Amino acid sequence: MSLLVVGSVALDSVETPFGKADEVLGGSATFFSAAASHLTAVQVVGVVGDDYPVAKLEPLAKRGVDLAGLERAPGRSFRWRGRYRHDLNVAETLETHLGVFSNFSPKIPTQFRKAPFVFLGNIDPRLQLEVLTQVERPRLVACDTMNFWIESRRPDLMKLLERVDAITLNDGEVRQLSDCYNLVKAARWIMKRGPKLVIIKKGEHGAFMFTGDTVFFAPAYPLEEVFDPTGAGDSFAGGFMGYLAKCGEVTEPALRRAVIYGSALGSFAVEKFSIERLLEIDHRDIAARVADFRKLVAFEEDL
Ligand code: AMP
């Protein structure tokens, strides 16, 4: 089943304790589709400026990512500059240049409007809301956001919450949004405002999924080397939504497996800069990592 993503398509400049990358492919929609395309067909809506190296997106197109909704507008592309110090869980934003995103109004191509699974990647919540007026009764809509938008667009974000089924946030964003330190209470606070499903990503400490009456936890894959954490969240979302679209079910067992696929894809994303690692792996690597997740938490109950 097809999966629609609307999000940023960016040029990232990133500094980590292990190296630097300048103007590499990034953005929420880019990481999301690089991850999700391992599992299902992905349709992308976004905008790039006339300076974007569109040819570098070709490997994604070859893997079944439909870029018909990627607009090219006159002006500069979205750019993000970030740094990680020793705590790789915390991204420090040094610069955000919205460029062509400041005048963007998403237009969902007719052939994308019936997508049953929709992911509103991290962009201005006003644009995320505009997307919802154009899609036709999707089965599941999930969204993401970040501190930048929680600070600058809270009223729009609150309207968005009323209209989505699921939200993926990291622990810092959940606390900032709900003004509540305890993550269980914070998840309940968010669920009262709309989403039936709240996923809280805790970087190297794994991810929680809260539904009305259940909690599921997945550890993070214990990697020896985390090279660049940028895009882990979007790749998690890509694995999560990609798995749901692939199996076409939104049941509790499917959602739990989707969290594991999200964790697996997120763990690959951080092994190299940009989407490099996500482009190298194949279904065997993913299957092996999913199997490792099972081993990581399996134990015999002492009866
Ligand atoms: P994450 O998966 O949370 O690490 O997201 C990383 C991506 O978010 C980077 O590739 C950035 O280009 C993108 N990004 C950073 N700030 C923003 C923003 N304000 N709006 C949209 N995308 C952003």
Side-chain angles (χ1 to χ4, degrees):
M1 286 192 187
S2 59
L3 170 58
L4 170 66
V5 58
V6 184
S8 54
V9 179
L11 289 172
D12 287 351
S13 297
V14 186
E15 229 177 280
T16 79
F18 313 105
K20 273 173 81 162
D22 265 323
E23 306 243 313
V24 291
L25 298 190
S28 50
T30 312
F31 280 105
F32 181 95
S33 44
S37 57
H38 285 284
L39 301 160
T40 194
V42 185
Q43 304 168 328
V44 177
V45 171
V47 65
V48 291
D50 43 27
D51 56 354
Y52 204 82
V54 186
K56 292 197 179 154
L57 296 173
E58 194 50 36
L60 289 180
K62 280 207 184 108
R63 283 238 310 269
V65 177
D66 189 338
L67 298 170
L70 183 65
E71 213 179 287
R72 290 195 78 175
R76 282 174 64 77
S77 299
F78 180 96
R79 279 174 170 76
W80 179 76
R81 179 179 290 278
R83 177 167 62 195
Y84 301 84
R85 298 195 197 248
H86 285 282
D87 182 356
L88 291 170
N89 284 332
V90 183
E92 199 184 321
T93 293
L94 303 175
E95 289 171 34
T96 302
H97 298 286
L98 294 178
V100 289
F101 260 100
S102 27
N103 296 317
F104 179 55
S105 174
K107 284 167 227 58
I108 313 297
T110 322
Q111 70 274 26
F112 289 6
R113 293 184 179 203
K114 285 196 164 54
F117 292 86
V118 176
F119 188 69
L120 305 171
N122 173 28
I123 43 168
D124 189 331
R126 292 181 184 174
L127 303 184
Q128 293 173 309
L129 280 163
E130 274 182 44
V131 171
L132 292 181
T133 62
Q134 298 176 56
V135 290
E136 293 170 22
R137 298 160 53 88
R139 275 180 64 189
L140 184 95
V141 179
C143 77
D144 187 13
T145 192
M146 72 181 290
N147 52 5
F148 188 88
W149 305 116
I150 299 173
E151 279 154 30
S152 60
R153 293 272 194 262
R154 179 176 278 270
D156 301 289
L157 200 52
M158 297 311 291
K159 272 191 226 151
L160 181 71
L161 287 187
E162 289 171 20
R163 305 205 37 205
V164 298
D165 304 297
I167 184 164
T168 63
L169 294 172
N170 68 35
D171 42 1
E173 292 156 353
V174 167
R175 290 183 173 122
Q176 187 186 9
L177 178 63
S178 64
D179 201 18
C180 179
Y181 188 82
N182 180 284
L183 292 179
V184 183
K185 286 191 183 142
R188 301 269 168 252
W189 185 95
I190 295 174
M191 280 191 272
K192 274 203 194 119
R193 273 130 194 111
K196 300 183 284 293
L197 200 93
V198 177
I199 292 182
I200 305 180
K201 300 162 291 174
K202 289 163 58 64
E204 63 177 331
H205 305 298
F208 279 107
M209 175 175 67
F210 292 89
T211 69
D213 41 30
T214 64
V215 186
F216 177 64
F217 176 73
Y221 187 74
L223 287 170
E224 213 163 297
E225 268 175 25
V226 174
F227 193 70
D228 171 16
T230 311
D234 302 310
S235 308
F236 175 99
F240 176 79
M241 293 294 284
Y243 180 78
L244 292 178
K246 178 185 157 88
C247 80
E249 257 183 54
V250 190
T251 56
E252 174 85 18
L255 288 164
R256 288 178 177 227
R257 288 194 298 272
V259 170
I260 299 296
Y261 273 81
S263 306
L265 268 308
S267 74
F268 283 117
V270 303
E271 289 181 339
K272 291 200 173 170
F273 277 124
S274 183
I275 54 171
E276 279 171 40
R277 186 71 180 127
L278 291 173
L279 293 179
E280 286 170 1
I281 56 170
D282 64 18
H283 66 277
R284 286 179 297 261
D285 299 306
I286 297 171
R289 193 150 289 184
V290 167
D292 282 347
F293 269 96
R294 174 186 270 279
K295 282 191 224 143
L296 201 57
V297 293
F299 65 95
E300 297 290 324
E301 206 172 343
D302 188 10
L303 294 173

